[in-house]
Coordinates of all heavy atoms in Angstrom, one line a residue:
P44 N 138.1 100.4 120.5 CA 137.3 101.5 121.2 C 136.0 101.8 120.4 O 136.0 101.9 119.4 CB 138.3 102.6 121.2 CG 139.6 102.0 121.2 CD 139.5 100.7 120.4
A45 N 134.9 101.7 121.2 CA 133.6 101.8 120.6 C 133.4 103.1 119.8 O 133.9 104.2 120.3 CB 132.5 101.7 121.6
V46 N 132.9 103.0 118.6 CA 132.6 104.2 117.8 C 131.1 104.2 117.4 O 130.7 103.2 116.8 CB 133.5 104.2 116.5 CG1 133.1 105.4 115.6 CG2 134.9 104.3 116.8
K47 N 130.4 105.1 118.1 CA 128.9 105.2 117.8 C 128.6 106.3 116.9 O 129.2 107.4 117.1 CB 128.2 105.2 119.2 CG 128.5 104.0 120.1 CD 127.7 104.2 121.4 CE 127.9 103.0 122.4 NZ 127.3 103.2 123.6
C48 N 127.6 106.1 116.1 CA 127.2 107.2 115.3 C 125.7 107.2 115.1 O 125.0 106.0 115.2 CB 127.9 107.1 113.9 SG 127.9 105.6 113.1
R49 N 125.1 108.3 114.9 CA 123.6 108.4 114.8 C 123.3 109.1 113.5 O 123.9 110.2 113.2 CB 123.1 109.2 116.0 CG 121.6 109.5 115.9 CD 121.2 110.2 117.2 NE 119.9 110.5 117.2 CZ 119.2 111.1 118.2 NH1 119.8 111.2 119.3 NH2 117.9 111.4 118.1
H50 N 122.4 108.5 112.7 CA 122.0 109.1 111.4 C 120.5 109.2 111.3 O 119.9 108.4 111.9 CB 122.6 108.2 110.3 CG 124.0 107.8 110.5 ND1 125.1 108.7 110.5 CD2 124.5 106.6 110.8 CE1 126.2 107.9 110.7 NE2 125.9 106.6 110.9
S51 N 120.1 110.1 110.6 CA 118.6 110.2 110.3 C 118.4 110.7 108.8 O 119.3 111.0 108.2 CB 118.0 111.3 111.2 OG 118.6 112.5 111.0
D52 N 117.1 110.6 108.4 CA 116.8 111.0 107.1 C 117.3 110.0 106.0 O 117.7 110.6 104.9 CB 117.1 112.5 106.8 CG 116.3 113.4 107.7 OD1 115.1 113.0 108.2 OD2 116.8 114.5 108.1
Y53 N 117.5 108.8 106.3 CA 117.9 108.0 105.2 C 116.8 106.9 105.0 O 116.0 106.7 105.9 CB 119.2 107.1 105.6 CG 120.4 108.0 105.6 CD1 120.8 108.6 106.7 CD2 121.1 108.3 104.4 CE1 122.0 109.4 106.7 CE2 122.1 109.1 104.4 CZ 122.6 109.6 105.6 OH 123.7 110.5 105.6
Y54 N 116.8 106.4 103.9 CA 115.6 105.6 103.5 C 115.9 104.3 102.9 O 116.9 104.2 102.2 CB 114.7 106.4 102.4 CG 114.3 107.8 102.9 CD1 115.1 108.9 102.7 CD2 113.2 108.0 103.7 CE1 114.8 110.2 103.1 CE2 112.9 109.2 104.2 CZ 113.7 110.2 103.9 OH 113.3 111.5 104.3
D55 N 115.1 103.3 103.2 CA 115.2 102.0 102.6 C 114.3 102.1 101.3 O 113.1 102.4 101.4 CB 114.7 100.8 103.4 CG 115.7 100.5 104.5 OD1 116.9 100.8 104.3 OD2 115.3 100.0 105.5
Q56 N 114.9 101.9 100.2 CA 114.2 101.9 98.8 C 114.6 100.7 98.0 O 115.5 100.0 98.2 CB 114.6 103.2 98.1 CG 114.3 104.4 98.7 CD 114.6 105.7 97.9 OE1 115.1 105.5 96.7 NE2 114.2 106.9 98.2
E57 N 113.7 100.4 97.1 CA 113.9 99.3 96.2 C 113.8 99.9 94.7 O 112.9 100.7 94.5 CB 112.8 98.2 96.3 CG 112.9 97.5 97.7 CD 111.9 96.4 97.8 OE1 111.9 95.5 97.0 OE2 111.2 96.4 98.8
Q58 N 114.6 99.4 93.9 CA 114.6 99.9 92.5 C 114.4 98.7 91.5 O 115.0 97.7 91.7 CB 115.9 100.5 92.1 CG 116.1 101.0 90.7 CD 115.0 102.1 90.4 OE1 114.9 103.1 91.1 NE2 114.2 101.8 89.4
Q59 N 113.4 98.8 90.7 CA 113.0 97.8 89.8 C 113.5 98.1 88.4 O 113.2 99.3 87.9 CB 111.5 97.6 89.7 CG 111.0 96.5 88.9 CD 109.5 96.3 88.9 OE1 108.8 97.2 89.4 NE2 108.9 95.2 88.5
F60 N 114.2 97.3 87.8 CA 114.7 97.5 86.5 C 113.5 97.5 85.5 O 112.5 96.9 85.6 CB 115.7 96.5 86.0 CG 117.1 96.6 86.5 CD1 117.5 96.0 87.7 CD2 117.9 97.5 86.0 CE1 118.7 96.2 88.2 CE2 119.2 97.7 86.5 CZ 119.6 97.0 87.6
S61 N 113.7 98.3 84.5 CA 112.6 98.4 83.4 C 112.6 97.1 82.6 O 113.7 96.3 82.4 CB 113.0 99.5 82.3 OG 112.1 99.4 81.2
S62 N 111.4 96.7 82.2 CA 111.3 95.4 81.5 C 111.6 95.4 80.1 O 111.8 94.3 79.5 CB 109.8 95.0 81.7 OG 108.9 95.9 81.0
T63 N 111.9 96.6 79.6 CA 112.4 96.7 78.2 C 113.8 97.4 78.2 O 114.0 98.2 79.0 CB 111.4 97.5 77.4 OG1 111.2 98.8 77.9 CG2 110.0 96.8 77.2
L64 N 114.6 97.0 77.2 CA 115.8 97.7 77.0 C 115.8 98.7 76.0 O 115.0 98.6 75.0 CB 116.9 96.6 76.6 CG 117.2 95.4 77.5 CD1 118.1 94.5 76.9 CD2 117.7 95.9 78.9
R65 N 116.5 99.8 76.3 CA 116.5 101.0 75.3 C 117.2 100.5 74.1 O 118.3 100.1 74.1 CB 117.2 102.1 76.0 CG 117.1 103.5 75.1 CD 118.0 104.5 75.8 NE 117.5 104.7 77.1 CZ 116.5 105.6 77.5 NH1 115.9 106.3 76.5 NH2 116.2 105.8 78.8
P66 N 116.6 100.8 72.9 CA 117.2 100.4 71.7 C 118.5 101.2 71.4 O 118.7 102.4 71.9 CB 116.2 100.8 70.6 CG 115.3 101.8 71.2 CD 115.3 101.4 72.7
R67 N 119.5 100.6 70.7 CA 120.7 101.3 70.4 C 120.4 102.5 69.5 O 119.7 102.4 68.6 CB 121.6 100.4 69.7 CG 122.2 99.3 70.7 CD 123.3 98.5 70.0 NE 123.9 97.5 70.8 CZ 124.9 96.8 70.5 NH1 125.4 96.8 69.3 NH2 125.3 95.9 71.4
P68 N 121.1 103.6 69.8 CA 121.0 104.8 68.9 C 121.6 104.5 67.5 O 122.5 103.8 67.4 CB 121.7 105.9 69.7 CG 122.7 105.1 70.5 CD 122.1 103.9 70.9
T69 N 121.0 105.2 66.5 CA 121.6 105.0 65.2 C 122.8 105.9 65.2 O 123.1 106.7 66.0 CB 120.5 105.5 64.1 OG1 120.3 107.0 64.4 CG2 119.2 104.8 64.2
S70 N 123.5 105.8 64.1 CA 124.8 106.5 63.9 C 124.5 108.1 63.8 O 125.3 108.8 64.4 CB 125.5 106.2 62.5 OG 124.7 106.3 61.5
A71 N 123.4 108.5 63.3 CA 123.0 109.9 63.3 C 122.7 110.4 64.7 O 123.0 111.5 65.0 CB 121.8 110.1 62.4
E72 N 121.9 109.5 65.4 CA 121.6 110.0 66.8 C 122.8 110.0 67.6 O 123.0 110.8 68.5 CB 120.6 109.0 67.4 CG 119.2 109.0 66.7 CD 118.4 107.9 67.2 OE1 118.9 106.9 67.8 OE2 117.1 108.0 67.1
A73 N 123.8 109.1 67.4 CA 125.0 109.0 68.3 C 125.8 110.2 68.1 O 126.6 110.6 68.9 CB 125.8 107.8 68.1
S74 N 125.8 110.8 66.8 CA 126.6 111.9 66.5 C 126.1 113.2 67.0 O 126.8 114.2 67.2 CB 126.8 112.1 65.0 OG 125.5 112.3 64.4
R75 N 124.9 113.3 67.4 CA 124.3 114.4 67.9 C 124.7 114.6 69.4 O 124.8 113.7 70.2 CB 122.8 114.3 67.8 CG 122.3 114.6 66.5 CD 120.8 115.1 66.4 NE 119.9 113.9 67.0 CZ 119.3 113.1 66.3 NH1 119.4 113.0 65.0 NH2 118.5 112.2 66.9
P76 N 124.7 115.9 69.9 CA 125.1 116.1 71.3 C 124.0 115.6 72.2 O 122.8 115.7 71.9 CB 125.2 117.7 71.4 CG 125.4 118.1 70.0 CD 124.7 117.2 69.0
Q77 N 124.4 114.9 73.3 CA 123.5 114.4 74.2 C 123.2 115.3 75.3 O 124.1 115.9 75.9 CB 124.0 113.1 74.7 CG 124.4 111.9 73.7 CD 123.1 111.5 73.0 OE1 122.0 111.3 73.7 NE2 123.1 111.3 71.7
S78 N 121.9 115.4 75.7 CA 121.5 116.3 76.8 C 121.5 115.6 78.1 O 121.1 114.5 78.1 CB 120.2 116.9 76.5 OG 119.1 115.9 76.5
N79 N 122.1 116.1 79.1 CA 122.2 115.5 80.3 C 121.3 116.3 81.3 O 121.5 117.5 81.6 CB 123.7 115.5 80.9 CG 124.5 114.6 80.1 OD1 124.2 113.5 79.8 ND2 125.8 115.2 79.7
S80 N 120.3 115.6 81.9 CA 119.5 116.2 82.8 C 119.9 116.1 84.2 O 119.3 116.7 85.1 CB 118.0 115.7 82.7 OG 118.1 114.3 83.0
G81 N 121.0 115.3 84.4 CA 121.5 115.1 85.8 C 122.3 116.3 86.3 O 122.8 117.1 85.4
V82 N 122.7 116.4 87.5 CA 123.4 117.4 88.0 C 125.0 116.9 87.8 O 125.3 115.8 88.0 CB 123.3 117.6 89.5 CG1 124.1 118.6 90.2 CG2 121.8 118.0 89.8
G83 N 125.8 117.9 87.5 CA 127.2 117.6 87.3 C 127.5 117.0 85.9 O 128.5 116.4 85.8
G84 N 126.6 117.1 84.9 CA 126.9 116.6 83.6 C 126.8 115.1 83.5 O 127.3 114.6 82.5
L85 N 126.1 114.5 84.5 CA 126.0 112.9 84.4 C 124.6 112.6 84.0 O 123.6 113.3 84.1 CB 126.2 112.4 85.7 CG 127.7 112.6 86.3 CD1 127.7 112.0 87.8 CD2 128.7 111.9 85.5
P86 N 124.5 111.5 83.3 CA 123.1 111.0 82.9 C 122.2 110.9 84.1 O 122.7 110.6 85.2 CB 123.4 109.7 82.3 CG 124.8 109.7 81.8 CD 125.5 110.6 82.8
S87 N 120.9 111.1 83.9 CA 120.0 111.1 85.1 C 119.7 109.7 85.5 O 119.3 109.5 86.6 CB 118.8 111.8 84.7 OG 118.1 111.3 83.5

Side-chain angles (χ1 to χ4, degrees):
V46 177
K47 298 181 180 180
C48 49
R49 175 175 177 174
H50 317 288
S51 60
D52 295 330
Y53 288 96
Y54 303 92
D55 284 334
Q56 296 185 356
E57 297 181 54
Q58 177 61 55
Q59 183 178 18
F60 280 96
S61 172
S62 59
T63 58
L64 296 177
R65 186 185 301 274
R67 290 187 177 182
T69 63
S70 57
E72 292 173 339
S74 62
R75 289 199 296 264
Q77 299 296 319
S78 61
N79 294 316
S80 57
V82 179
L85 295 176
S87 58

